[in-house]
Amino acid sequence: MRISYKNLRRYKEIAHILIKYGFSFIVEKLNIEGVAYKIPLTNPSDTIKMMTTGERIRTAFEELGPTYVKLGQILSTRKDLIDQEIIDELSKLRDNVESFSTELAKEIFIKELGLSVDEVFKEFNLKPIAAASIGQVYEAKLKTGEDVIVKIQRPNIEETIKSDLEIMRTVASTLKDLKKDIDIDLYQVIEEFQTQLIKELDYNFEAINAIKFKKMFKDSKKVYIPEVYSQYTTKRVLVMEKIVGVKLSDIQKINSLGWDTKRISEVGVESMFKQIFEAGFFHADPHPGNIFVLGSECISYIDFGMIGIIDKKTLKLLNEIVLAAIEKNVDRVIYLLMEIDAIGTDADIPGLKQDLLYMIHYYYDAPIEKISITGILNEVFRFFRKYKLIMPSQLAILAKTIITLEGTGRELYPKFSIGSAGENFMKHYYTNKFKPQNLLLNSKNSIEEVLLDLKTIPKQLRVILRNIEKNNLKINIEEVKVTKLEERITDLATQTSLSLVLAAIIVGSSLIIASPNIEQIIWIKLVAMAGFFTSFIIGLLLVIKMIKSKYKKN
């Protein structure tokens, strides 16, 4: 594999770590020019040999640094691609890294805002309260008296991450043939990862997300979103209101304050369903560290770097899949999965149907409070892995978010059930959906979609016809017996020709018979009779031909 020599040192570091943790086969496969032959392919230590595959991957990612920690965190959401044992380990990845110098942080602040820390803040705690892979967080107080948190990005982190992403893309291209063995399109995963990570490198995206959430819950007394101070926010600096409350993970303190943990968990689910079903825009990392409790019926979200988006069409399709499952209509479920391009041409449809039917019957009569959404989704992920189905990334993120939410709810209240907690909200959602004004709006949107299709289809047909005219249309035909196909086409052409001739003779003979001069001129009568006789013979031949063709086909 040819590499960019500006990244040569980083390639060597990656190769050393891969070999150290028992992944030397990847280094050998890459055959990195100028690297592989210089690094001895040693066996891992006994301690590493005792680790599971998931533990070795997680530890290697931690040693590889921030980019790979982030990759591991995102991969931990893709249960449709990776086995549960590895997912469990990747879920342990956290941004616990060494802090960088506060003096350096102040320099970055000045460079970004053109103002010093002392010019903006009345107080500024020199010791960071958290250090993550991309930046670190400080407590401060604005000149106007508001308590805030200040995120400042690490020096040179963008260059490091972009360099790692370039290496990842090169490696993914080189290992593309591994897709046959591991059923993962590495290049597509890296592309999705890059899109997510580039956004996290720009704090303006997080600020915009927080502002959207603030607007979403502006009239809510149950969810509070911190204020963003946009005048002090840039690509590498984020200033946001400090939330004073109890972290959701501190269950002992929540109980000591006498707050109802059951009600708090229900508020969390209701707020999440509002995000998903009403806004199509949701917090994609609702773990206990990212949620503060402000009262028995009030929570606050923080850290808006990772969000999920789901469009109305996908949500509608997902709703139809759930309804089809409730009706035990497995064929409809399969059809809808095909609609989202989840099922490939090589999928084992009969096996998938059987497994789906078993799962539907297993959960169908279970009481809603006994149903574990996590259990159902994990079973769905198993289907996707087993039958090589492709889950759209937005659905994978949504599923992982719901699993995280249910886990968080059960930490808070052991008898928590996301199904029973969401039942009331879903009733409210559907009641609201079927209000006359909303029905009219949905009808309007449906009509607009149809009109758009009517406008688009002729253009698409013109493109297809233009490609046919230019001989640019390529059709991939696999496993077709060309000889038999040619014979079948010939038979169809013959039958069509005979049918046209038969129809023409019958019509012509009928017109002759209807002529008023047929009794006066005998030869006209004879021609008509000959026509009917000929049509009888041709009809007989056509029937024989069709029977023979059917016999050959069988």
Side-chain angles (χ1 to χ4, degrees), residues 333-396:
V333 173
I334 298 291
Y335 167 77
L336 291 167
L337 288 173
M338 288 178 175
E339 282 287 290
I340 59 172
D341 297 322
I343 298 180
T345 53
D346 58 343
D348 177 13
I349 303 295
L352 177 61
K353 281 185 179 180
Q354 186 175 348
D355 269 358
L356 278 173
L357 194 60
Y358 174 80
M359 187 184 83
I360 289 168
H361 278 276
Y362 179 81
Y363 286 106
Y364 190 77
D365 294 318
I368 193 165
E369 66 274 5
K370 297 289 185 183
I371 292 175
S372 166
I373 301 296
T374 299
I376 294 173
L377 290 174
N378 282 334
E379 193 74 5
V380 170
F381 283 131
R382 185 183 67 79
F383 289 162
F384 272 77
R385 292 194 301 272
K386 180 178 178 181
Y387 295 103
K388 302 177 184 177
L389 307 183
I390 303 161
M391 181 176 284
S393 58
Q394 57 179 321
L395 288 184

Side-chain angles (χ1 to χ4, degrees), residues 268-514:
V269 172
E270 288 166 10
S271 71
M272 185 57 68
F273 282 171
K274 178 181 175 67
Q275 295 167 46
I276 295 166
F277 292 106
E278 291 186 10
F281 178 84
F282 57 92
H283 196 297
D285 194 19
H287 68 75
N290 280 341
I291 302 174
F292 277 81
V293 182
L294 307 183
S296 191
E297 287 199 37
C298 187
I299 63 170
S300 176
Y301 290 94
I302 63 166
D303 195 347
F304 303 94
M306 189 179 289
I307 57 99
I309 297 173
I310 185 162
D311 60 86
K312 288 184 179 179
K313 185 178 179 182
T314 304
L315 201 57
K316 181 183 175 184
L317 208 60
L318 187 62
N319 187 45
E320 288 178 7
I321 290 172
V322 172
L323 290 174
I326 290 169
E327 293 168 1
K328 301 182 185 178
N329 189 344
V330 178
D331 289 322
R332 174 73 176 160
V333 173
I334 298 291
Y335 167 77
L336 291 167
L337 288 173
M338 288 178 175
E339 282 287 290
I340 59 172
D341 297 322
I343 298 180
T345 53
D346 58 343
D348 177 13
I349 303 295
L352 177 61
K353 281 185 179 180
Q354 186 175 348
D355 269 358
L356 278 173
L357 194 60
Y358 174 80
M359 187 184 83
I360 289 168
H361 278 276
Y362 179 81
Y363 286 106
Y364 190 77
D365 294 318
I368 193 165
E369 66 274 5
K370 297 289 185 183
I371 292 175
S372 166
I373 301 296
T374 299
I376 294 173
L377 290 174
N378 282 334
E379 193 74 5
V380 170
F381 283 131
R382 185 183 67 79
F383 289 162
F384 272 77
R385 292 194 301 272
K386 180 178 178 181
Y387 295 103
K388 302 177 184 177
L389 307 183
I390 303 161
M391 181 176 284
S393 58
Q394 57 179 321
L395 288 184
I397 293 170
L398 174 61
K400 175 61 169 59
T401 301
I402 291 172
I403 288 171
T404 304
L405 184 65
E406 186 169 59
T408 300
R410 287 195 172 168
E411 278 185 38
L412 195 63
Y413 178 66
K415 294 181 180 179
F416 171 79
S417 165
I418 199 169
S420 57
E423 191 175 16
N424 289 333
F425 179 85
M426 294 308 291
K427 285 177 182 175
H428 161 74
Y429 169 74
Y430 281 106
T431 302
N432 188 58
K433 183 178 178 181
F434 291 112
K435 283 181 179 177
Q437 62 267 35
N438 290 334
L439 284 173
L440 286 171
L441 181 62
N442 290 333
S443 300
K444 176 178 173 288
N445 291 337
S446 297
I447 291 168
E448 285 177 353
E449 283 181 18
V450 171
L451 291 173
L452 184 63
D453 285 341
L454 289 173
K455 289 180 181 178
T456 307
I457 289 170
K459 292 178 184 177
Q460 292 173 336
L461 287 173
R462 280 201 297 273
V463 171
I464 293 169
L465 291 171
R466 197 176 297 119
N467 283 327
I468 292 172
E469 187 180 1
K470 294 178 180 179
N471 201 25
N472 287 335
L473 193 66
K474 295 181 180 179
I475 301 174
N476 293 323
I477 303 175
E478 296 179 2
E479 298 180 5
V480 176
K481 295 180 180 178
V482 179
T483 307
K484 286 192 174 182
L485 180 62
E486 188 177 350
E487 289 176 2
R488 184 68 182 147
I489 290 171
T490 304
D491 286 343
L492 286 170
T494 304
Q495 290 171 24
T496 303
S497 300
L498 286 172
S499 299
L500 290 171
V501 171
L502 176 62
I505 292 173
I506 291 172
V507 171
S509 300
S510 299
L511 290 171
I512 291 170
I513 288 290

Side-chain angles (χ1 to χ4, degrees), residues 136-394:
Q136 61 191 32
V137 184
Y138 295 88
E139 290 178 318
K141 187 187 286 286
L142 290 170
K143 292 281 188 183
T144 48
E146 295 90 349
D147 288 318
V148 295
I149 60 100
V150 184
K151 277 189 180 182
I152 300 176
Q153 199 172 103
R154 284 183 173 275
N156 305 318
I157 189 64
E158 185 172 356
E159 292 76 8
T160 302
I161 286 176
K162 285 184 176 177
S163 173
D164 276 345
L165 286 170
E166 185 182 331
I167 292 170
M168 284 180 184
R169 283 196 300 272
T170 306
V171 170
S173 297
T174 305
L175 298 179
K176 60 185 175 183
D177 57 321
L178 277 183
K179 186 175 187 295
K180 299 172 186 175
D181 304 318
I182 60 176
D183 299 321
I184 298 175
D185 188 339
L186 291 173
Y187 199 84
Q188 184 182 349
V189 170
I190 298 303
E191 286 295 307
E192 289 177 10
F193 169 59
Q194 176 178 310
T195 302
Q196 171 67 31
L197 195 51
I198 293 299
K199 286 181 180 178
E200 287 195 43
L201 282 171
D202 188 346
Y203 285 151
N204 285 311
F205 279 103
E206 184 173 348
I208 290 167
N209 292 338
I211 291 167
K212 284 183 179 179
F213 276 99
K214 186 79 174 173
K215 186 177 180 181
M216 191 190 308
F217 291 104
K218 65 179 180 179
D219 298 322
S220 174
K221 293 182 180 179
K222 297 176 182 178
V223 178
Y224 184 80
I225 305 298
E227 190 77 38
V228 173
Y229 295 91
S230 301
Q231 67 271 37
Y232 303 124
T233 296
T234 68
K235 183 177 180 180
R236 301 177 69 196
V237 174
L238 172 64
V239 178
M240 188 181 290
E241 177 186 357
K242 180 185 175 183
I243 295 298
V244 179
V246 182
K247 275 196 174 183
L248 197 64
S249 53
D250 194 350
I251 298 169
Q252 188 175 354
K253 189 168 183 180
I254 292 170
N255 287 326
S256 70
L257 291 168
W259 292 343
D260 185 353
T261 54
K262 180 184 178 183
R263 183 59 194 139
I264 293 167
S265 64
E266 289 172 349
V267 168
V269 172
E270 288 166 10
S271 71
M272 185 57 68
F273 282 171
K274 178 181 175 67
Q275 295 167 46
I276 295 166
F277 292 106
E278 291 186 10
F281 178 84
F282 57 92
H283 196 297
D285 194 19
H287 68 75
N290 280 341
I291 302 174
F292 277 81
V293 182
L294 307 183
S296 191
E297 287 199 37
C298 187
I299 63 170
S300 176
Y301 290 94
I302 63 166
D303 195 347
F304 303 94
M306 189 179 289
I307 57 99
I309 297 173
I310 185 162
D311 60 86
K312 288 184 179 179
K313 185 178 179 182
T314 304
L315 201 57
K316 181 183 175 184
L317 208 60
L318 187 62
N319 187 45
E320 288 178 7
I321 290 172
V322 172
L323 290 174
I326 290 169
E327 293 168 1
K328 301 182 185 178
N329 189 344
V330 178
D331 289 322
R332 174 73 176 160
V333 173
I334 298 291
Y335 167 77
L336 291 167
L337 288 173
M338 288 178 175
E339 282 287 290
I340 59 172
D341 297 322
I343 298 180
T345 53
D346 58 343
D348 177 13
I349 303 295
L352 177 61
K353 281 185 179 180
Q354 186 175 348
D355 269 358
L356 278 173
L357 194 60
Y358 174 80
M359 187 184 83
I360 289 168
H361 278 276
Y362 179 81
Y363 286 106
Y364 190 77
D365 294 318
I368 193 165
E369 66 274 5
K370 297 289 185 183
I371 292 175
S372 166
I373 301 296
T374 299
I376 294 173
L377 290 174
N378 282 334
E379 193 74 5
V380 170
F381 283 131
R382 185 183 67 79
F383 289 162
F384 272 77
R385 292 194 301 272
K386 180 178 178 181
Y387 295 103
K388 302 177 184 177
L389 307 183
I390 303 161
M391 181 176 284
S393 58
Q394 57 179 321

Side-chain angles (χ1 to χ4, degrees), residues 70-88:
K70 284 290 179 186
L71 175 62
Q73 289 171 349
I74 289 173
L75 284 175
S76 71
T77 68
R78 298 308 302 266
K79 293 193 174 192
D80 56 317
L81 300 178
I82 302 170
D83 290 336
Q84 188 62 42
E85 182 262 326
I86 297 174
I87 290 286
D88 291 339

